[in-house]
Amino acid sequence: MTSRHARTLGPCTNLNDIALIKLRRPATLNDAVRPIQLDTIASSHAGKTVEALGWGSASYGGPVSSRLRKVPLSVVPPKECRATYPQLNGSTQLCTYTAGSDTCQYDSGGPVVEHADGRPILIGVITASSGCATSSPTIHTRVAAYRQWITAATGPLSVP
């Protein structure tokens, strides 16, 4: 297995926080294992409800989960997110916030998914927050901003 990173990770900004992993052999596709459609929309997705998934802890400092967890979150406009994170790059990052719900430690790198017509679309990768379910939004890497880089590295993906 080898990995490939998009660009240099920005210090203290979490810019370019996305990577690809190359498997030693192709995955066997079935009902539980299949490619996900990548987001192509450059919109902010503000106001939409998305799902974040991960194996992280349920509370700050808590143990990692033994089961995959998911949480619905609302995408907030970049301007609102910049009130907390002035360094936010709205073209490559997006933010979510829902009072009392959030991703947590060890969820980083997990998917942020929007559902359209019953199909999941990968719009983000969990990146950073100031804790777990605090009053601050969480930053995610915007997948659409890296689609060209992903396709150059993987070739076109066929999503059934």
Side-chain angles (χ1 to χ4, degrees):
M1 180 168 64
T2 59
S3 64
R4 183 178 208 174
H5 200 276
R7 300 177 191 115
T8 304
L9 184 62
C12 302
T13 64
N14 294 300
L15 287 174
N16 306 315
D17 190 11
I18 188 168
L20 298 173
I21 299 171
K22 182 176 182 176
L23 304 176
R24 288 186 186 152
R25 58 185 178 276
T28 302
L29 302 181
N30 56 45
D31 288 342
V33 178
R34 62 182 178 265
I36 189 168
Q37 182 176 334
L38 302 179
D39 188 26
T40 59
I41 301 170
S43 80
S44 71
H45 295 281
K48 292 187 178 179
T49 299
V50 297
E51 272 185 340
L53 293 92
W55 298 89
S57 57
S59 61
Y60 192 80
V64 295
S65 179
S66 61
R67 64 180 176 85
L68 181 62
R69 301 171 60 94
K70 63 183 175 181
V71 61
L73 300 169
S74 296
V75 179
V76 298
K79 183 177 181 180
E80 187 178 321
C81 192
R82 280 192 197 96
T84 304
Y85 304 108
Q87 77 280 10
L88 180 83
N89 180 329
S91 64
T92 62
Q93 296 173 310
L94 61 94
C95 289
T96 56
Y97 176 77
T98 298
S101 297
D102 200 1
T103 58
C104 202
Q105 292 173 297
Y106 313 112
D107 284 325
S108 296
V112 178
V113 176
E114 178 183 331
H115 292 273
D117 300 323
R119 299 185 66 143
I121 300 170
L122 182 65
I123 69 161
V125 177
I126 301 167
T127 298
S129 67
S130 58
C132 307
T134 66
S135 60
S136 298
T138 298
I139 299 175
H140 309 282
T141 298
R142 183 185 298 277
V143 169
Y146 296 90
R147 187 176 175 120
Q148 185 176 2
W149 173 77
I150 294 168
T151 303
T154 63
L157 295 176
S158 168
V159 180

